[in-house]
């Protein structure tokens, strides 16, 4: 909300400067985000009058003007044509530095001296654009600072009001806040006006049929008024505060909205059918055209203002086209009411219509202020518009407004805040706030809270008032007593993640962070390839764009597009990982979410290698990351098996990682069609690990086994297998042939004509490590035979002899 | 036995000659083997000393030992000589270019948001807080209601909410990590000391707002926790995160689930307080929201507000990362441009 400093000063004659007001309000919880001097850059700009104007002898587009500031005459060369002799204009004198940064110097333009500049509104930053120079009102006196002439010797405060402080959504409210800080007094302007028309009761009848939704309805009526523009000072203030001036009647209601925070509405009395008003929520659905010209569907329960025949306004939100003040209006009813905040909010939400009025009613408008606002409106209007005010005020529900009493214990403030607040200090603060205190000596006070403070209902609310008005900087810094820290399941997941991040970082991978959303269009196009039906996705009801429609079921699409984006930027070797959640529907809980770790790899095996090994990465580079990673995370043993369950992988180049029979991850080469749709060429490898399942429990501490005292024996076996034999299984079986087999590893693998089509030759090195003796030749031979037997009979291998 | 002494003398001469004639390390080792190694001639004589008559034993033993010592020292000297010659010869021929890059990947980079989050977490873990998580797809009850955002309250407008399709119509993408406060307090009795890191969502997108971002929330509940404790803890946190000598400012604010509430500003890390674009000329940067747990929140989880007090605080991780690294556009964080990531 924007508030001119001068307007605040009308309510509290504070000794604080604008900058001090900004600081004081901010430190009391009413944040003033900016405080701008309106006359910035207008220091050497004055009002002046054109005495004479003639064309420039050497330039068609320029004119020579003689202008006076009342005492001195200046010769000015000017490029505009919209002025004439006698006009009042804005003159920037030599030395002025204009708001747009231009510095005015003495100059010769096409041979003619120019002793200043006549300014346009745009140059003075008073308007976005302007057609010529600024022409001031005829009655402007020359020689005055322009800032004064335009009412710009003022500051505009931009105040951010939190939702609990509806009472501060006005000049009066902020003035009260200043008074609470400084102890100064708020003075309400008097509201004199002649009250000589007919009794209001003869002009209009008002009923409130739904008093729960409208606890108070106040009205004043006037007649004999002529619709005209309101005076400059009022139009200027409205404009400064962001409200467009319309006419004297509407402007006055808006002025009061800004000034005291009471939203008002003006009805053309002659357009109220049956000269009556009934405040009532309809029981049926109907349509109604609001004054913005939009036809609105009104549901049962939305509070309306009706006349004898139908709705004339949506209460507290917006008036109707059928009863608004128009050019020929002469008789007006001013409404100044109090509506229930939740009711207004529901209606505004459902209509998708938020107005200055509904914004304030939602946050709470002082029910005690309706009459003052109505009187102030009539009083202001009567100052500049001839009119006759009807006798009396209608005030339905006026007797029901009562302040609230809230208990308060001074020692409670001390206990919560951690500093001592003396009872006298608390009482003094309540005094500044205008909260009467009654202390019956029990240690619990009764504090009376005025009706404008909707936010104060409980003791803690009063504690906050004491704390904020004493200043938070007076609270000391202490430290919470230390307690034995707990080690939670999530502490462990944080540790597991950090281990994973460190490992991957060491292997050259950088971390990506993607949104948890995926675009709807991606899934419609690629759903089958991505292995997930959009029907099973967790769906956002109100996405801001297609990109935020669905929650991702895995991390693949994010990392794939990261890879594609980087390749497009000439970064061909992509190694990225991401840790984040995947989402999906589940029958049990409606939806599930699971922490995952995605890893993507494409480009060279060893980027930056100079020794000729710049081969492209392949499946085993990815496996060589994932397997040791899982081991690093101390998961119990996992098994890698071929899989056909992941449609995003190329067939035959995809594996699941199983742990206790459950897939805890998968990796493989991304299939061609998917690469095409992301505009990627080279092979791309991807792995995804279900982090929580893969590293579910911390590993048990390692158990010591005695180190062998006898030398190991190594045996190499070369064997030709059919190509389909899984070498991993072969090694696993070899390892359990005999307890002496400590390790079996592949040292060589090849295919080719020499060994026959459809075959592969595998060289296996076996390490035999006896614990308690040196192996005899016979023992070694026996184990070797068992291995040969296994390879030939179990796996259909043929031992090669070289 | 004079024959033995002469043999020793001869062996000594021959051995010395062999050592002197050795052209490389293998010649030298060969000479050592022949003359004074374990199976060498001099060693054989020494082994035979015991069999000699008593009157010769001593003299022969002494002579043989002396010969061996002489050969050993000649051997050592020659070995050093040969190695030095070898070194001088290979120098130049075998020198490698040590400035070439080593083999194997250079380390990757941590995402600045993740790194900042992890730093924040470790500061609070050191201060005795433990980590608790919660779902991203959250119930309205936990995200709003139990945090004292009543259904028709304008405070709900403070956060632009994404709603999630569900049969009950009560699911949202959490707009803050504060629901974890409620979930944790429902599960455990005080004392509570937790931090809740996580992703949060708001339907908002521009250079300082992103539809998804990260928060870390903290909560402490105990018998005599005060706002002064909150000030102390956050002062310590800021010192550990932004370095010493950066004053903090606590000013009153409003959050539905804390009261009294505070906004915490740090002295602008860009301009040092003189005013700049980043701090909107105020000299201060807002980095945290905090406050004492509202008694209404305790009501929802069954804690007695007369017995317990607590504080809560929350911060946006991206904002802190932006300040730490001088990043002005939040969208850079989610583009995952390796040229960007490599800067951290
Ligand atoms: Zn700054």
């Amino acid at each position: 909300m924007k508030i001119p400093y001068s307007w605040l000063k009308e309510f509290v004659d504070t000794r604080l400067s604008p900058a001090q007001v900004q600081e004081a309000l901010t430190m009391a919880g009413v944040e003033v985000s900016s405080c701008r001097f309106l006359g910035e850059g207008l220091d050497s700009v004055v009002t002046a009058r054109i005495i004479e104007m003639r064309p420039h002898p050497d330039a068609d587009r320029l004119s020579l003007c003689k202008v006076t500031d009342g005492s001195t005459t200046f010769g000015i060369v000017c490029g505009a044509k919209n002025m004439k002799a006698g006009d009042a204009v804005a003159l920037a004198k030599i030395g002025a530095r204009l708001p747009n940064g231009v510095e005015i110097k003495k100059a010769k333009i096409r041979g003619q001296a120019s002793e200043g500049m006549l300014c346009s509104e745009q140059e003075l930053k008073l308007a976005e654009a302007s057609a010529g120079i600024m022409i001031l009102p005829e009655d402007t006196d020359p020689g005055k600072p322009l800032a004064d002439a335009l009412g710009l010797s003022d500051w505009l405060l931009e105040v951010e009001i939190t939702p609990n402080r509806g009472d501060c959504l006005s000049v009066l409210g902020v003035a009260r806040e200043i008074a609470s800080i400084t102890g100064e007094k708020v003075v309400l302007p008097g509201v004199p006006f002649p009250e000589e028309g007919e009794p209001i009761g003869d002009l209009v009848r008002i009923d409130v049929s739904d008093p729960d939704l409208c606890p108070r309805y106040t009205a004043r009526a006037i007649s004999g008024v002529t619709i005209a523009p309101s005076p400059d000072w009022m139009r200027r203030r409205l404009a400064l505060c962001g409200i467009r001036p319309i006419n004297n009647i509407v402007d006055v209601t808006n002025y009061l909205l800004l000034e005291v925070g009471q939203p008002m509405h003006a009805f053309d009395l002659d357009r109220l059918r049956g000269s009556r008003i009934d405040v009532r929520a309809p029981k049926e659905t109907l349509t109604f055209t609001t004054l913005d010209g939009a036809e609105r569907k009104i549901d049962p329960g939305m509070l309306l203002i009706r006349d004898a025949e139908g709705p004339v306004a949506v209460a507290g939100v917006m008036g109707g086209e059928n009863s608004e003040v128009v050019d020929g209006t002469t008789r007006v009813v001013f409404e100044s009411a109090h509506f229930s905040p939740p009711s207004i909010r529901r209606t505004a939400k459902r209509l998708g219509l938020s107005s200055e009025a509904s914004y304030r009613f939602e946050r709470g408008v002082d029910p005690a202020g309706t009459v003052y606002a109505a009187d102030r409106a009539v009083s202001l209007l009567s100052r500049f518009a001839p009119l006759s005010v009807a006798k009396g005020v209608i005030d339905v529900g006026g007797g029901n407004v009562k302040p609230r009493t809230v208990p308060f214990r001074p020692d409670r403030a001390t206990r919560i805040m951690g500093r001592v607040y003396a009872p006298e200090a608390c009482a003094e603060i309540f005094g500044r706030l205008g909260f009467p205190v009654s202390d019956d000596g029990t240690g619990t006070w009764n504090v009376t809270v005025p009706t404008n403070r909707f936010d104060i209902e409980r003791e803690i609310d009063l504690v906050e008032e004491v704390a904020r008005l004493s200043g938070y900087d007076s609270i000391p810094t202490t430290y919470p007593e230390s307690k034995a820290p707990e080690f939670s399941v999530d502490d462990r997941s944080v540790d597991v993640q950090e281990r994973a991040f460190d490992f991957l970082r060491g292997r050259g991978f950088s971390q990506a962070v993607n949104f948890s959303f995926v675009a709807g269009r991606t899934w419609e196009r690629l759903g089958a390839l991505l292995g997930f039906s959009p029907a099973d996705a967790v769906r956002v009801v109100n996405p801001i764009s297609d990109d935020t429609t669905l929650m991702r079921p895995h991390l693949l699409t994010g990392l794939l597009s990261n890879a594609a984006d980087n390749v497009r930027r000439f970064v061909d070797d992509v190694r990225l990982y991401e840790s984040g959640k995947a989402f999906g529907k589940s029958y049990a809980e409606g939806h599930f979410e699971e922490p995952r770790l995605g890893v993507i790899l494409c480009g060279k095996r060893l980027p930056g290698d100079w020794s000729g090994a710049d081969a492209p990465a392949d499946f085993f580079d990815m496996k060589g990351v994932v397997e040791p990673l899982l081991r690093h995370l101390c998961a119990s043993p996992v098994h890698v098996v071929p899989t056909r369950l992941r449609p995003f992988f190329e067939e035959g180049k995809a594996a699941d990682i199983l742990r206790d029979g459950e897939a805890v991850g998968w990796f493989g080469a991304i299939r061609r069609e998917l690469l095409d749709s992301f505009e990627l060429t080279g092979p791309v490898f991807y792995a995804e690990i279900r982090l929580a399942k893969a590293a579910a429990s911390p590993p048990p501490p390692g158990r010591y086994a005695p180190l062998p005292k006898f030398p190991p024996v190594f045996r190499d076996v070369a064997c030709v297998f059919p190509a389909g034999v899984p070498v991993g299984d072969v090694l696993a079986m070899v390892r359990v042939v005999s307890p002496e087999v400590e390790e079996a590893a592949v040292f060589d693998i090849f295919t080719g004509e020499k060994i026959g089509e459809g075959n592969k030759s595998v060289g296996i090195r076996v390490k035999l490590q006896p614990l308690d003796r040196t192996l005899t030749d016979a023992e070694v031979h026996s184990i070797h035979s068992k291995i040969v037997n296994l390879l030939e009979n179990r796996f259909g291998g043929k031992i090669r002899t070289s | 036995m004079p024959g033995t002494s002469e043999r020793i003398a001869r062996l000594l001469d021959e051995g010395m000659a062999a050592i002197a004639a050795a052209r490389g390390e293998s010649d030298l080792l060969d000479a050592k083997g022949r003359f004074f190694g374990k199976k060498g001639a001099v060693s054989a004589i020494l082994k035979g000393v015991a069999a000699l008559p008593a009157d010769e034993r001593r003299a022969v033993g002494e002579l043989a030992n002396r010969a061996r010592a002489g050969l050993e020292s000649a051997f050592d000297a020659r070995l050093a000589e040969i190695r030095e010659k070898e070194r001088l010869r290979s120098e130049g021929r075998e020198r490698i270019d040590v400035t070439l890059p080593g083999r194997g990947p250079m380390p990757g980079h941590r995402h600045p948001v993740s790194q900042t989050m992890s730093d924040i977490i470790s500061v609070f873990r050191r201060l005795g807080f433990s980590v608790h998580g919660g779902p991203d797809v959250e119930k309205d009850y936990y995200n709003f209601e139990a945090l004292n955002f009543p259904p028709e309250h304008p405070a709900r407008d403070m956060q632009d909410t994404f709603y999630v399709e569900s049969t009950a119509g009560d699911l949202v993408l959490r707009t803050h990590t504060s629901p974890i406060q409620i979930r944790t307090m429902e599960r455990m009795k005080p004392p509570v000391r937790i931090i809740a890191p996580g992703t949060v969502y708001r339907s908002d997108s521009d250079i300082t707002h992103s539809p998804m971002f990260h928060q870390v929330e903290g909560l402490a509940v105990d018998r005599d926790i005060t706002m002064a404790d909150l000030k102390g803890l956050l002062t310590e946190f800021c010192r550990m995160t932004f370095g010493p000598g950066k004053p903090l400012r606590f000013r009153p604010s409003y959050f539905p689930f804390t009261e009294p509430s505070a906004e915490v500003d740090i002295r602008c890390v860009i301009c040092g307080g003189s005013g700049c674009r980043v701090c909107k000329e105020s000299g201060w940067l807002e980095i945290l929201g905090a406050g004492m747990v509202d008694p209404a929140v305790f009501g929802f989880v069954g804690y007695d507000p007369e017995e317990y007090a607590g504080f809560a605080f929350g911060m946006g991780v991206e904002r802190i990362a932006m300040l730490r690294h001088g990043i002005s556009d939040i969208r850079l964080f989610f583009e995952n441009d390796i040229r960007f990531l490599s800067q951290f």
Side-chain angles (χ1 to χ4, degrees):
Chain A
M1 191 182 47
K2 296 186 173 90
I3 300 183
Y5 176 71
S6 62
W7 205 344
L8 282 173
K9 287 276 268 189
E10 288 175 17
F11 284 81
V12 57
D13 189 18
T14 182
R15 57 179 186 274
L16 301 185
S17 69
Q20 287 170 326
V21 166
Q22 177 180 26
E23 172 77 7
L25 284 173
T26 299
M27 294 311 285
V30 178
E31 187 183 352
V32 180
S33 57
S34 77
C35 171
R36 185 165 66 85
F37 179 58
L38 295 169
E40 190 71 55
L42 303 182
D43 297 347
S44 299
V45 184
V46 297
T47 57
R49 195 168 295 279
I50 301 178
I51 306 169
E52 184 193 304
M53 179 174 156
R54 57 188 171 89
H56 190 289
D58 303 319
D60 291 348
R61 290 183 301 110
L62 301 177
S63 351
L64 301 180
C65 298
K66 275 207 173 103
V67 302
T68 176
D69 66 357
S71 49
T72 315
T73 305
F74 301 86
I76 309 283
V77 180
C78 186
K81 294 270 187 219
N82 66 321
M83 66 289 195
K84 58 181 190 307
D87 279 350
V89 292
L91 169 68
K93 292 184 175 176
I94 304 297
R97 181 184 279 277
L98 299 184
N100 67 357
V102 171
E103 205 174 324
I104 307 300
K105 292 179 190 140
K106 191 162 181 147
K108 266 206 166 141
I109 302 171
R110 295 284 187 107
Q112 300 291 323
S114 189
E115 303 168 294
M117 187 172 108
L118 303 184
C119 304
S120 72
E121 281 169 291
Q122 188 187 5
E123 284 155 346
L124 297 174
K125 286 217 167 165
L126 297 172
E128 294 289 318
S130 43
I133 63 162
M134 184 180 191
I135 308 292
L136 298 168
E138 259 176 62
D139 58 354
T140 304
D141 290 330
K144 288 209 311 195
L146 182 71
D148 288 350
L150 296 179
L152 296 176
S153 290
D154 198 355
W155 287 258
L156 192 63
L157 307 177
E158 176 102 47
V159 190
E160 316 285 339
I161 308 293
T162 52
N164 59 326
R165 293 302 302 274
D167 64 292
C168 284
L169 288 168
S170 65
V171 175
L172 171 61
V174 173
R176 282 194 178 124
E177 196 59 27
I178 295 171
S180 306
I181 297 166
T182 61
E184 291 160 329
K185 284 276 159 296
V186 167
V187 180
L188 288 180
V191 285
F193 54 88
E195 204 175 335
E196 52 212 6
E198 292 173 72
I200 187 167
D202 294 352
L203 295 174
V204 62
R205 180 178 150 202
I206 296 180
D207 297 295
V208 176
S209 303
D210 277 309
D212 289 348
L213 304 184
C214 175
R216 189 172 190 183
Y217 196 99
T218 303
R220 276 269 182 201
I222 57 168
S223 55
V225 75
T226 304
I227 303 298
S230 47
D232 280 344
W233 62 266
M234 181 175 279
R235 296 165 59 85
R236 206 180 293 131
R237 273 195 175 164
L238 291 175
L240 270 179
C241 299
I243 292 185
R244 192 166 55 92
I246 296 176
N247 59 44
N248 47 8
I249 304 292
V250 176
D251 289 356
V252 160
T253 61
N254 283 331
Y255 192 83
L256 265 295
L257 171 116
L258 294 172
E259 187 176 70
V260 301
Q262 172 68 55
M264 294 178 68
H265 186 66
F267 293 104
D268 182 334
L269 178 51
D270 294 305
R271 301 177 76 193
L272 287 178
R273 293 156 295 188
S275 299
R276 62 161 300 180
I277 282 174
D278 184 12
V279 186
R280 174 200 290 273
K283 296 199 164 49
E284 69 292 337
T285 301
L286 47 95
T287 57
F288 173 63
T289 306
T290 42
L291 53 76
D292 55 0
E295 188 169 280
R296 312 273 174 184
K297 182 169 152 287
I298 305 296
D299 293 327
M302 293 184 177
L303 192 65
L304 295 176
I305 311 296
R306 314 171 69 121
D307 63 9
E309 291 174 30
V312 291
V314 182
V317 181
M318 194 173 273
E321 232 174 18
N322 60 1
S323 60
E324 68 174 315
V325 169
V326 290
D327 282 348
T329 299
T330 59
R331 301 199 301 158
V332 174
V333 176
F334 286 108
E335 163 198 289
S336 174
H338 177 69
F339 299 110
S340 134
S343 154
I344 297 293
R345 182 174 164 83
R346 263 196 307 273
T347 303
K349 277 255 145 176
R350 239 179 314 157
L351 293 178
L353 177 62
S354 179
S355 62
E356 293 279 350
S358 69
Y359 190 81
R360 283 171 175 76
F361 279 125
E362 282 178 23
R363 284 156 178 76
V365 170
D366 185 4
T370 57
V371 172
Y372 178 80
D375 288 353
R376 170 90 170 137
V378 171
S379 165
L380 273 174
L381 193 58
S382 68
R383 275 204 243 158
F384 54 78
L387 54 84
S388 155
V389 182
K391 278 201 191 70
V393 59
I394 292 177
D395 187 15
V396 183
N400 303 334
V401 178
K402 297 218 170 50
R404 187 185 295 123
T405 311
V406 179
F408 177 77
R409 295 163 290 175
D411 57 352
R412 182 76 185 158
T414 296
R415 176 168 167 205
I416 297 283
M417 303 307 292
R419 63 149 276 197
V420 176
Y421 295 94
E424 307 76 54
C426 297
E428 193 267 332
I429 284 167
F430 293 141
R432 279 192 263 153
L433 283 161
F435 296 1
V437 172
S438 95
D439 174 8
D440 59 7
T442 58
T444 302
W445 299 353
N446 281 315
V447 179
T448 304
V449 179
T451 49
N452 63 319
R453 292 300 301 271
F454 283 80
D455 59 323
I456 297 179
E457 294 177 298
R458 305 163 302 163
E459 183 180 44
I460 193 72
D461 303 323
L462 291 171
V463 169
E464 179 174 55
E465 292 301 291
V466 168
R468 73 181 183 91
L469 291 173
S470 309
Y472 280 3
D473 44 8
S474 71
I475 301 167
T477 54
T478 56
Y479 298 92
E481 194 189 319
S482 69
K483 290 275 157 75
E486 163 211 19
F487 187 79
S488 69
V489 177
D490 296 309
D491 277 306
R492 177 166 152 71
S493 9
V494 165
D495 291 346
V496 166
Q497 283 193 30
E498 290 293 330
R499 280 180 78 86
F501 298 169
D502 281 348
F503 177 90
L504 287 165
R505 184 175 177 183
R507 300 292 291 261
F509 287 80
S510 294
Q511 187 179 22
V513 174
N514 285 293
F515 290 156
S516 311
F517 302 106
V518 284
R521 60 176 182 282
T522 307
W523 287 85
E524 271 149 37
R525 208 156 44 91
L526 303 171
L529 286 179
L530 293 172
F532 199 84
S533 157
D536 296 329
V538 173
R539 197 172 278 273
V540 175
V541 177
N542 56 335
I544 34 179
S545 69
D546 185 58
D547 293 335
T548 58
T549 314
L550 304 174
M551 301 304 283
R552 60 180 176 192
H554 47 53
L555 312 189
L556 173 60
T557 45
L559 285 169
L560 257 185
S561 42
N562 298 155
D565 291 345
N566 278 294
V567 169
R568 203 173 306 124
R569 296 179 198 115
F570 308 101
V571 180
D572 294 325
D573 302 313
V574 176
R575 288 170 177 241
L576 288 172
Y577 70 91
E578 178 177 9
S579 160
K581 283 177 177 174
F583 301 80
K585 280 185 183 161
S586 91
Y587 290 108
E589 311 220 356
H591 83 280
F592 71 85
E593 39 193 87
E594 187 182 66
R596 299 270 177 91
L597 183 67
V599 185
I600 199 161
L601 165 63
C602 69
K604 288 192 281 291
R605 170 172 297 161
L606 267 181
D609 190 64
W610 43 268
S611 54
D614 59 347
D618 68 16
F619 181 89
F620 296 100
D621 291 296
M622 181 52 99
K623 189 177 184 189
V625 171
V626 173
E627 236 178 359
L629 169 64
L630 285 169
R631 196 164 294 182
H632 185 67
L633 298 182
C634 299
S636 56
V638 293
H639 301 283
V640 172
V641 298
T643 182
R644 295 165 153 249
L645 297 174
R646 322 275 165 206
F648 35 84
F649 287 146
E650 217 171 280
E651 219 179 306
K653 292 187 182 168
D656 270 356
I657 305 165
L658 303 183
R659 180 175 170 231
D660 302 330
E662 189 182 23
V664 297
W666 42 87
F667 64 95
I670 296 295
R671 75 191 268 181
R672 186 78 268 152
E673 298 93 312
L674 208 48
L675 293 183
D676 287 345
S677 63
F678 281 86
E679 291 172 20
L680 279 161
T681 50
V684 175
F685 302 92
Y686 179 73
E688 189 158 321
I689 294 166
R690 303 171 70 191
L691 213 46
K693 295 216 182 269
S697 45
R703 294 291 303 178
Y704 163 75
L707 299 177
K709 292 194 177 67
F710 300 89
V713 177
F714 293 93
R715 277 289 172 275
D716 289 353
V717 190
C719 187
V720 174
F721 294 105
V725 167
V727 175
D729 292 1
V730 173
L731 296 177
M733 293 297 285
V734 170
R735 280 181 201 121
V736 295
V737 154
S738 138
E740 282 77 22
V741 178
E742 191 188 81
E743 184 46 48
V746 176
F747 66 85
D748 175 41
I749 191 159
F750 66 89
T751 55
E753 277 171 34
K754 233 171 78 185
I755 51 165
E757 189 72 8
N759 287 333
K760 60 183 169 192
S761 168
V762 182
I764 299 171
R765 169 159 298 178
V766 183
K767 181 184 182 190
L768 304 176
Q769 177 64 69
L771 265 186
D772 50 356
R773 64 195 192 286
T774 302
L775 286 179
T776 64
D777 287 351
E779 283 172 318
V780 171
H781 184 74
S782 150
I783 295 168
H784 185 255
S785 306
K786 278 190 201 164
I787 292 172
V788 167
N789 194 31
L790 173 82
L791 299 184
E792 291 186 337
N793 298 333
R794 177 75 185 256
F795 293 104
K798 268 205 186 68
I799 300 300
R800 296 178 67 221
T801 42
S802 43
Chain B
M1 206 186 114
T4 310
S5 314
E6 280 156 20
R7 237 177 88 217
I8 292 171
R10 208 175 60 238
L11 283 172
L12 183 60
D13 286 349
E14 286 172 11
M16 286 295 191
I19 288 170
R23 316 246 4 116
E25 273 191 48
S26 64
D27 289 354
L28 197 58
L29 286 170
D30 187 53
K32 177 179 177 178
R34 271 190 292 137
F35 295 99
F36 64 100
K38 269 187 191 151
K39 291 179 180 166
V42 180
S43 309
I45 290 171
L46 275 166
K47 271 181 203 146
V49 166
L52 293 178
D55 57 333
E56 286 183 27
R57 246 182 247 169
R58 199 190 139 120
V60 170
E62 228 168 75
L63 209 57
N65 271 325
R66 219 181 301 142
R68 191 170 66 174
L71 287 166
E72 268 172 4
S73 70
F75 173 87
D76 289 348
R78 182 66 187 145
L79 184 64
E81 225 176 271
I82 287 171
R83 287 193 172 165
E84 177 61 13
K85 217 179 259 172
E86 188 68 21
R87 193 183 65 76
L88 288 173
R89 203 143 42 91
S90 69
E91 206 174 70
R93 187 156 50 80
E94 287 189 9
R95 175 181 285 181
I96 56 167
D97 180 359
V98 298
T99 66
L100 271 173
R103 196 163 291 129
M106 289 302 273
H109 304 270
R110 196 62 194 273
H111 193 285
V113 169
S114 172
Q115 183 65 61
T116 302
M117 176 112 120
S118 152
D119 293 346
I120 295 169
I121 291 172
S122 66
V123 165
F124 284 109
R125 282 176 79 182
R126 254 182 286 161
L127 295 169
F129 286 69
S130 73
V131 179
H132 284 255
D136 290 27
V137 177
E138 184 55 280
K139 286 194 163 66
D140 182 279
Y141 176 79
Y142 289 107
N143 194 73
F144 290 122
E145 209 174 325
L147 287 164
N148 198 30
F149 289 80
E152 294 299 341
H153 199 277
R156 289 200 173 204
D157 294 348
M158 292 165 86
Q159 303 172 351
D160 299 319
T161 310
F162 282 116
Y163 294 89
V164 171
E165 242 175 43
S166 66
T167 36
D170 65 340
L171 292 182
V172 300
L173 292 181
R174 65 177 173 200
T175 55
H176 45 190
T177 45
S178 316
I180 297 170
Q181 286 185 24
I182 306 295
R183 289 179 171 275
T184 309
M185 286 191 281
E186 277 183 349
R187 269 203 317 267
M188 56 200 262
K189 289 285 142 218
V192 171
R193 248 147 235 238
I194 63 155
I195 44 164
T199 45
V200 301
Y201 306 84
R202 307 226 181 136
S203 51
D204 205 352
S205 185
D206 60 37
I207 72 161
T208 50
H209 296 89
S210 161
M212 186 192 96
F213 59 100
H214 297 77
Q215 272 192 347
V216 177
E217 178 99 0
L219 171 74
V221 182
D222 210 337
R223 272 182 220 286
D224 35 38
I225 292 261
T226 67
M227 187 114 164
D229 293 339
L230 172 65
K231 254 184 116 169
L233 182 84
L234 294 180
T235 303
E236 193 58 19
F237 163 73
C238 289
R239 196 185 60 77
M240 287 164 95
T241 304
F242 294 100
K246 302 260 184 340
L248 289 187
R249 179 173 89 161
F250 286 71
R251 60 189 162 78
S253 187
Y254 168 73
F255 306 104
F257 44 100
T258 53
E259 182 150 11
S261 300
E263 205 82 72
V264 184
D265 302 335
I266 190 168
R267 182 61 86 197
C268 179
V269 295
I270 313 289
C271 66
S274 56
C276 67
R277 275 223 343 253
V278 176
C279 61
K280 298 195 189 101
E281 306 301 329
S282 71
W284 295 97
L285 294 167
E286 201 176 299
I287 49 160
L288 270 160
M292 300 304 289
V293 179
D294 193 292
V297 172
F298 282 158
F300 281 101
V301 298
Y303 285 9
D304 178 2
E306 288 292 312
E307 186 177 357
Y308 295 109
F311 61 67
F313 54 87
M315 65 196 95
V317 180
E318 277 78 358
R319 173 153 177 85
I320 293 179
M322 286 166 91
L323 293 176
R324 271 175 130 193
H325 301 292
I327 296 164
S328 53
D329 186 343
I330 197 170
R331 290 171 295 203
L332 280 168
F333 286 135
F334 304 101
E335 284 168 6
N336 301 307
D337 186 331
I338 290 176
R339 300 166 307 175
F340 169 79
L341 296 174
S342 311
Q343 299 176 17
F344 307 99

